[in-house]
Amino acid sequence: MFKTKDGEEIFVIDGHTHFWDGSPQNQKNVHGKQFIDCFYAYHSNLSPKEWLWPKEKFEKYDAQTMHDDLFVHGYDDMAILQSTYLSDFYKKGFNNIERNYAMKKAYPNRFIINGAFDPRDGERGLDQLRADAEKYHLKGVKLYTAEWKGDSKGYKLTDPASYRFLEEAEKLGIKNIHVHKGPTILPLNRDAFDVADVDDVATSFQNLNFIIEHCGLPRLDDFCWIATQETNVYGGLAVALPFIHTRPGYFAHVISELLFWLGEDKLLYGSDYGIWTPKWLIEKFMAFELPDDVAKETGVSLSLTAKKKILGLNAARLYDVDIAAQKQKLTAPLAAAS
Amino acid sequence: MTVASGPYAGRTSEIWDRLHHVTDPELDESVTELGFVTSVEVDAIDHVHIQFRLPTYWCAANFAFMMADDMRAAVSALPWVRGASVVLGEHMYADKINCGISQGLSFQETFGSEATADLSEVRRTFLLKAFQRRQEALLSQLMARGYTAEQLVTMILADVQALVVEKEGQDLVGRYLERREIVGPCSPDAPAFLSAEGRRVPAEGLEVYVRGLRRVGVNAEFNGALCRGLLSARFDMTTPLPERPKMNPS
């Protein structure tokens, strides 16, 4: 909960968090090492000095640390735990759903867990998705289209197999599809970060919401164009938001473009924990004002209302969170441990 | 960056100069300014040895190949160069790319079944983005100077070449003209401002058109900042943060 100077309470739902194990013990090969190293470079490059972690903590942190960083030191009220497998890089997966579920069991009122699917897994993957949906009451999944699998270096949302999985997700009541566009999709001659497939599936699956993590970065320009034409495409702010510290000027430009093209109802805050932590991100975001020249140029404003939507109201709508009821649960004496 | 010295100092700096004109296709910035090139050596038999690195292990293989290939071509164009090696370090496809470049293979020959075509399409996509970004910078500058939409859309290339502007404006003009041919013929009486599709830009709605272009520039600048940051974090460099490039009047 973030309290404004006027005492107004802002309910915060963190749209993108991870409980990963990137430690050397879990790494399968050099790619596993390079993957967590790359995350660590994002962390070191964009975090304020006082929030830098040692490499060991970054590779693997415990549940208590994560809980405290999000909800005790940070301002998150709830957080969405994303599942990412990367089974070709990590022995037990990077952050598998069982690991996330253990976290959820420890702090039931705090976490929403999202599953994952990979269209390349075929029938087995569909069965797994059905089982996960039932067991974990999934309302969302995270897709990592750049995941390596055997000879495959990724897939597109427009692949026929992706359609089968999205149809199944819709049947199972999984309505929020978080998409992380990463690099290295074959064939190598195409733009590895192309977001055009989002356009296609968003049109085909009108009942699903597509939350494009990192706002389609590094293809923000193409993403904005697609998102303006689709009512069910959202932008997740992870990676864009931390620029608020090192490069507030760039952040101002990016957020103003997003507000202009997508609007304040279509943006979701996400810390991308453990890459960054909510405490400093939210303090800086709440204190942030668009510079006059940027506001004038785009004609948008980052008002308190917009901030409230971005920080929690939009995610609450997508995940059917009754904020008043949730607040009560969190403040009830029994929830004190949470 | 190695300091040029010894008997081949002049030649080494000639190489750096050529490399300066090679751009990262995605960022539309020089590979030397980005800090990608780590070493340039010219040996006794006029062979050039270039080493470079990228911000992450995962940087797109096609762009990595393009930069390597462009660097090789740029330095090989010097009449005295008798051979050029370009070596990429610490990248998921480093071995393949280095092998392909050293044997003078094309992209497709290098990657075989992992590629279904050459790089012309992706190259054109990013040249167009660079064009749009450069056009936006120039149009915004001119609009800030009071040019009306009507004046801008009726300008021909000769008018742009004749613009009297100071150094900064001159760079914008030069950078724009460098990419203008991608969208249409460049005779002096050709329209100065065409869209990426090669159509005339209409006076009505020019501001909306420019706003659309602005996204491309914001994205590229953001990526440039991210790439520089990741490069310095990865290689533990203490790179001073560059100022926001003076592309836009804002």
Side-chain angles (χ1 to χ4, degrees):
Chain A
M1 192 80 66
F2 186 90
K3 263 192 194 155
T4 67
K5 267 184 275 178
D6 303 330
E8 190 174 350
E9 291 184 340
I10 297 178
F11 194 83
V12 179
I13 301 177
D14 194 331
H16 201 84
T17 67
H18 309 270
F19 184 41
W20 67 53
D21 178 359
S23 65
Q25 291 74 25
N26 193 28
Q27 293 167 11
K28 248 186 194 172
N29 46 34
V30 63
H31 306 309
K33 179 188 180 325
Q34 288 284 355
F35 192 85
I36 192 74
D37 283 1
C38 181
F39 273 25
Y40 192 61
Y42 273 84
H43 166 77
S44 341
N45 176 235
L46 294 172
S47 299
K49 274 201 186 69
E50 60 273 31
W51 295 101
L52 286 178
W53 291 0
K55 186 74 181 297
E56 294 70 35
K57 177 182 175 186
F58 190 84
E59 286 170 342
K60 187 179 183 182
Y61 39 84
D62 60 35
Q64 182 75 45
T65 302
M66 177 164 180
H67 170 271
D68 291 355
D69 281 342
L70 299 184
F71 309 114
V72 180
H73 313 306
Y75 301 98
D76 286 2
D77 293 292
M78 295 182 77
I80 300 171
L81 273 170
Q82 309 285 3
S83 303
T84 314
Y85 278 82
L86 297 171
S87 308
D88 279 21
F89 298 173
Y90 295 98
K91 294 170 191 162
K92 289 181 284 177
F94 189 56
N95 43 207
N96 62 46
I97 199 163
E98 293 81 15
R99 193 170 156 79
N100 285 338
Y101 187 52
M103 177 72 99
K104 162 100 182 158
K105 275 199 292 194
Y107 309 104
N109 291 325
R110 293 294 192 183
F111 288 103
I112 294 167
I113 48 174
N114 275 356
F117 67 69
D118 189 321
R120 294 166 296 183
D121 290 340
E123 288 304 327
R124 186 172 54 82
L126 284 167
D127 287 343
Q128 186 67 52
L129 180 64
R130 289 181 201 111
D132 287 349
E134 194 184 328
K135 180 169 180 191
Y136 305 113
H137 309 291
L138 299 180
K139 284 188 176 156
V141 285
K142 153 130 176 246
L143 310 183
Y144 186 54
T145 61
E147 181 161 346
W148 291 16
K149 199 173 270 289
D151 287 338
S152 165
K153 299 283 190 288
Y155 64 90
K156 281 200 173 293
L157 299 175
T158 44
D159 293 346
S162 302
Y163 265 71
R164 282 194 68 202
F165 274 77
L166 289 168
E167 282 160 11
E168 191 63 30
E170 191 175 348
K171 270 190 229 158
L172 295 167
I174 299 171
K175 58 177 185 158
N176 299 312
I177 315 293
H178 293 248
V179 184
H180 177 185
K181 305 292 291 186
T184 74
I185 292 177
L186 294 177
L188 289 169
N189 44 293
R190 298 249 180 82
D191 176 14
F193 295 97
D194 189 6
V195 286
D197 54 341
V198 172
D199 199 1
D200 187 289
V201 290
T203 305
S204 300
F205 293 92
Q206 294 286 329
N207 296 323
L208 298 179
N209 303 308
F210 292 87
I211 301 101
I212 308 306
E213 299 301 342
H214 318 148
C215 307
L217 283 165
R219 299 287 174 266
L220 177 77
D221 48 345
D222 301 327
F223 169 68
C224 283
W225 181 240
I226 287 164
T228 50
Q229 302 173 59
E230 306 290 345
T231 52
N232 54 341
V233 172
Y234 294 73
L237 283 179
V239 178
L241 185 53
F243 269 67
I244 206 166
H245 168 63
T246 43
R247 310 287 180 86
Y250 284 103
F251 176 72
H253 276 86
V254 168
I255 193 79
S256 66
E257 292 295 327
L258 289 167
L259 287 167
F260 182 86
W261 299 100
L262 276 80
E264 62 191 37
D265 296 317
K266 296 292 188 62
L267 299 172
L268 267 65
Y269 150 74
S271 64
D272 224 342
Y273 189 89
I275 308 187
W276 300 287
T277 46
K279 167 118 176 123
W280 70 266
L281 285 172
I282 291 181
E283 282 174 4
K284 284 184 191 280
F285 181 66
M286 287 306 299
F288 189 81
E289 286 179 27
L290 281 183
D292 286 343
D293 59 334
V294 176
K296 200 175 150 208
E297 187 185 310
T298 47
V300 298
S301 68
L302 184 56
S303 63
L304 182 60
T305 308
K307 287 177 177 172
K308 284 198 271 191
K309 288 178 176 176
I310 293 169
L311 286 179
L313 297 178
N314 293 340
R317 200 170 67 244
L318 294 182
Y319 280 88
D320 307 315
V321 175
D322 178 341
I323 290 179
Q326 197 63 28
K327 270 185 177 175
Q328 269 197 335
K329 276 191 209 167
L330 291 170
T331 49
L334 273 176
S338 171
Chain B
M1 193 181 288
T2 46
V3 179
S5 63
Y8 308 110
R11 299 204 148 176
T12 307
S13 68
E14 256 187 88
I15 297 296
W16 278 107
D17 190 49
R18 298 292 303 184
L19 295 179
H20 181 73
H21 293 284
V22 174
T23 53
D24 175 317
E26 185 183 6
L27 304 177
D28 193 30
E29 288 188 64
S30 157
V31 292
T32 57
E33 279 175 15
L34 285 162
F36 292 173
V37 181
T38 50
S39 117
V40 170
E41 279 170 25
V42 179
D43 66 19
I45 53 167
D46 289 337
H47 282 239
V48 180
H49 306 275
I50 298 162
Q51 290 187 35
F52 80 114
R53 62 187 178 187
L54 295 170
T56 77
Y57 179 78
W58 311 99
C59 287
N62 46 17
F63 293 137
F65 186 92
M66 261 188 252
M67 286 183 261
D69 207 24
D70 289 356
M71 284 192 262
R72 182 185 56 178
V75 302
S76 299
L78 288 168
W80 56 264
V81 171
R82 302 182 62 184
S85 78
V86 180
V87 176
L88 170 64
E90 294 189 65
H91 185 273
M92 57 175 171
Y93 276 110
D95 291 347
K96 264 198 175 170
I97 291 173
N98 292 337
C99 181
I101 294 289
S102 73
Q103 295 176 38
L105 302 180
S106 71
F107 178 75
Q108 263 194 293
E109 287 164 341
T110 300
F111 287 105
S113 64
E114 290 182 293
T116 54
D118 64 14
L119 291 173
S120 54
E121 193 184 319
V122 74
R123 207 183 261 281
R124 182 171 164 81
T125 301
F126 285 87
L127 278 171
L128 280 173
K129 282 180 189 255
F131 162 79
Q132 290 179 306
R133 182 182 176 197
R134 293 175 182 205
Q135 185 182 66
E136 182 269 321
L138 181 58
L139 280 174
S140 295
Q141 187 83 325
L142 295 174
M143 286 157 91
R145 279 156 199 257
Y147 282 84
T148 65
E150 194 56 47
Q151 283 173 315
L152 290 171
V153 302
T154 51
M155 268 187 170
I156 55 172
L157 279 171
D159 297 332
V160 172
Q161 272 146 353
L163 281 173
V164 181
V165 283
E166 77 301 344
K167 173 79 175 73
E168 191 183 305
Q170 205 62 55
D171 288 348
L172 292 179
V173 169
R175 281 172 61 79
Y176 176 64
L177 293 176
E178 209 180 10
R179 291 280 180 269
R180 165 61 180 72
E181 65 179 8
I182 301 163
V183 296
C186 283
S187 58
D189 60 345
F193 297 106
L194 294 176
S195 71
E197 297 77 30
R199 285 195 282 272
R200 274 175 176 275
V201 177
E204 199 178 327
L206 183 67
E207 289 215 13
V208 177
Y209 170 78
V210 173
R211 276 224 47 75
L213 295 182
R214 185 74 40 88
R215 289 196 312 262
V216 181
V218 166
N219 181 65
E221 288 180 28
F222 186 93
N223 291 348
L226 187 60
C227 291
R228 284 174 200 272
L230 290 175
L231 187 79
S232 63
R234 186 178 186 201
F235 296 103
D236 203 18
M237 299 148 61
T238 40
T239 313
L241 301 181
E243 290 297 312
R244 184 165 183 265
K246 295 253 184 317
M247 292 282 294
N248 299 326
S250 58

